[in-house]
Amino acid sequence: VLSTPEICFSCATPGLPLLVRPSTLAFSLPTGRVSNITINEPPEAIEGSLISLYCTSRGDNVSYSWTKGGQVIHAGGHISLKNNNQILELNPGYRNDTADYICYGNNSISSNKSEPYHLDIACKSGPPVLNGPDPLIINETIDVPQAQIKLTCKAVVHPPANYTWFYNGTEFNNRVVFLKISPEYSGNYTCSVINPISFLKRNATLEINMKSELSKPKISITITGPSHAVENQPVTFRCSSLGFNVSYSWLKGGQPIEAGGKVLMENNSQTLTFLSTSRSDAASYTCSGQNRFSANSSKPHRLEIFYGPEHPVISPLQQVYNEHSTLNLICSAISNPPAKFSWYVNGELLEHQNDSHLAQRLTLKNAGNYTCKVTNVETSGVSRLAVGDFFFSGYLFGVTLSSLPVILERPFQSSAWI
């Protein structure tokens, strides 16, 4: 028996009694070729937000895959593939996600692909992103056959901005500057760019001495970037140099850094970006540059990672206390920089008790609930609490420890001791 879209096969053995029923096997075959593959435009594509691309097609049992700029896309990091790879999610979207995307579909009959879809990531409105441009970069290229030097100026800015060059303070409107290799063209070359929306202006200046640069070329390397970052946040370093045709590389704690995963290198490795930082990224970073004349390295640039506070713990220093004796408590929490401490008794702040160690004279009035609050002002003022209850019975205060002290929002109940 043949049907569409299923093929069914019936099998029976000749000579068997009619009471024995034949065995039937049915399976499905794709009936449609893959066609009309389309990428649906996302409602918005803003830096730092979720961006979703949805692929649709005609055909049965279609499997999907994606490329970005001709490179196959795999799930991982901020990239997710869902619904049999039909949905591509960038969470969050970054500026370097701007590219041409193609969706591929195939089944057992045919395969096809969409037209390239150009995804343009827009900067967030408002400061500080719209207030770009990012710091300018001037690149120099020596054209020996033509006996000239090419200067180009580039900045990351949205929307596109206008560039202006100055030679020793005099303006000339060229995006690219060509200089003859001659001493009279020595001087200060300044590139200026203005954001047409925020009107924020950036300048970069390069001093060129034709005689000294050609007779004794040198590379001067410097790193610009933050000295600290909050855990899980992105960080970007930029390496700049005075030299021609410079190739760059990076070291972290003396070990080479390779691009991949959360590590991004751009502009001939002149820019180093961590898409997300962790505590292990706290280290000294060095940028090295070399050309056919010489090589040099920057001074180490130290990066500190701020994190915490993690769940605090209250620890009594002893188990038995007499009335009018001193209750000693220690509050501890993992934090960088070290957390700030404050203590509360029955909800009331204890003035001048801002240390991890609390020494409190015990009376009937101050028995009850003790709370330690830890705060890290560098990680957006994150605060956490640890709570302990201490009761009075007879003439003694008592604490019995049967396990580790409590952590956040799980009160430590100390039992009365008689």
Side-chain angles (χ1 to χ4, degrees):
V1 179
L2 178 62
S3 63
T4 303
E6 291 186 340
I7 298 177
C8 298
F9 295 94
S10 295
C11 177
T13 303
L16 289 179
L18 294 178
L19 294 177
V20 178
R21 305 183 65 179
S23 176
T24 301
L25 175 64
F27 61 92
S28 299
L29 289 175
T31 59
R33 299 177 62 86
V34 180
S35 62
N36 294 350
I37 299 183
T38 305
I39 298 177
N40 292 337
E41 182 176 353
E44 60 180 10
I46 300 177
E47 181 183 23
S49 64
L50 170 64
I51 300 172
S52 297
L53 300 179
Y54 186 77
C55 186
T56 61
S57 69
R58 290 184 178 179
D60 296 327
N61 301 329
V62 180
S63 297
Y64 297 90
S65 61
W66 296 78
T67 61
K68 170 190 172 185
Q71 301 297 316
V72 177
I73 298 176
H74 300 283
H78 73 297
I79 300 176
S80 299
L81 295 172
K82 298 182 178 180
N83 194 28
N84 190 29
N85 297 341
Q86 195 169 5
I87 301 175
L88 169 63
E89 287 189 350
L90 307 174
N91 191 16
Y94 296 106
R95 295 183 191 180
N96 59 0
D97 289 321
T98 297
D100 288 332
Y101 291 78
I102 297 177
C103 176
Y104 295 81
N106 67 86
N107 60 15
S108 60
I109 297 178
S110 64
S111 60
N112 211 330
K113 66 179 181 178
S114 69
E115 292 294 325
Y117 173 77
H118 183 74
L119 177 65
D120 188 13
I121 308 295
C123 294
K124 293 180 180 178
S125 58
V129 176
L130 183 59
N131 284 348
D134 288 345
L136 289 177
I137 297 173
I138 298 179
N139 293 320
E140 318 96 299
T141 303
I142 299 178
D143 188 344
V144 176
Q146 297 296 326
Q148 65 182 11
I149 300 174
K150 177 182 176 182
L151 301 181
T152 56
C153 185
K154 182 180 180 181
V156 179
V157 57
H158 188 85
N162 295 321
Y163 295 80
T164 305
W165 280 94
F166 297 85
Y167 170 60
N168 291 334
T170 301
E171 178 180 345
F172 58 99
N173 295 319
N174 295 59
R175 174 68 184 275
V176 180
V177 177
F178 293 93
L179 308 175
K180 291 183 179 180
I181 300 179
S182 178
E184 66 262 28
Y185 290 98
S186 298
N188 292 322
Y189 291 82
T190 300
C191 177
S192 179
V193 59
I194 300 177
N195 188 309
I197 300 298
S198 66
F199 300 104
L200 181 67
K201 182 178 180 180
R202 300 282 191 192
N203 293 327
T205 300
L206 176 65
E207 180 181 1
I208 294 181
N209 187 321
M210 295 292 184
K211 183 177 180 180
S212 62
E213 288 291 334
L214 291 177
S215 61
K216 190 178 179 181
K218 296 180 180 179
I219 300 177
S220 177
I221 306 290
T222 56
I223 295 178
T224 57
S227 59
H228 61 268
V230 177
E231 189 174 27
N232 298 322
Q233 296 299 312
V235 165
T236 297
F237 296 121
R238 291 178 179 85
C239 188
S240 58
S241 68
L242 296 178
F244 302 107
N245 296 331
V246 180
S247 297
Y248 299 91
S249 59
W250 293 82
L251 297 176
K252 171 186 173 183
Q255 300 299 316
I257 301 176
E258 301 291 340
K262 68 174 186 178
V263 179
L264 182 66
M265 292 187 183
E266 297 177 298
N267 193 26
N268 189 31
S269 297
Q270 195 168 2
T271 301
L272 170 66
T273 298
F274 291 92
L275 301 178
S276 176
T277 54
S278 60
R279 300 176 193 184
S280 61
D281 293 321
S284 292
Y285 291 82
T286 305
C287 176
S288 298
Q290 64 176 6
N291 60 15
R292 62 192 182 97
F293 300 110
S294 63
N296 206 346
S297 296
S298 69
K299 294 180 180 179
H301 183 94
R302 181 68 188 180
L303 176 66
E304 290 292 337
I305 303 298
F306 293 154
Y307 54 85
E310 296 187 358
H311 302 314
V313 175
I314 294 179
S315 303
L317 295 185
Q318 63 189 74
Q319 293 182 319
V320 178
Y321 295 89
N322 295 315
E323 186 179 7
H324 304 301
S325 64
T326 300
L327 171 65
N328 289 290
L329 299 177
I330 294 291
C331 185
S332 58
I334 298 175
S335 177
N336 185 40
K340 296 183 179 297
F341 296 85
S342 54
W343 290 87
Y344 298 80
V345 176
N346 297 323
E348 296 292 331
L349 175 66
L350 294 177
E351 299 291 343
H352 311 298
Q353 295 287 350
N354 53 7
D355 192 71
S356 61
H357 179 201
L358 172 67
Q360 179 77 357
R361 185 176 176 82
L362 289 174
T363 65
L364 288 175
K365 293 182 179 180
N366 57 24
N369 181 278
Y370 282 72
T371 300
C372 169
K373 179 181 179 182
V374 292
T375 303
N376 186 334
V377 296
E378 297 293 346
T379 56
S380 302
V382 174
S383 299
R384 300 188 185 276
L385 304 177
V387 181
D389 288 331
F390 298 88
F391 297 97
F392 180 74
S393 178
Y395 295 96
L396 297 177
F397 288 86
V399 181
T400 299
L401 296 177
S402 58
S403 62
L404 292 175
V406 297
I407 59 176
L408 176 65
E409 296 179 352
R410 290 182 130 183
F412 168 80
Q413 300 291 341
S414 60
S415 61
W417 185 90
I418 301 179

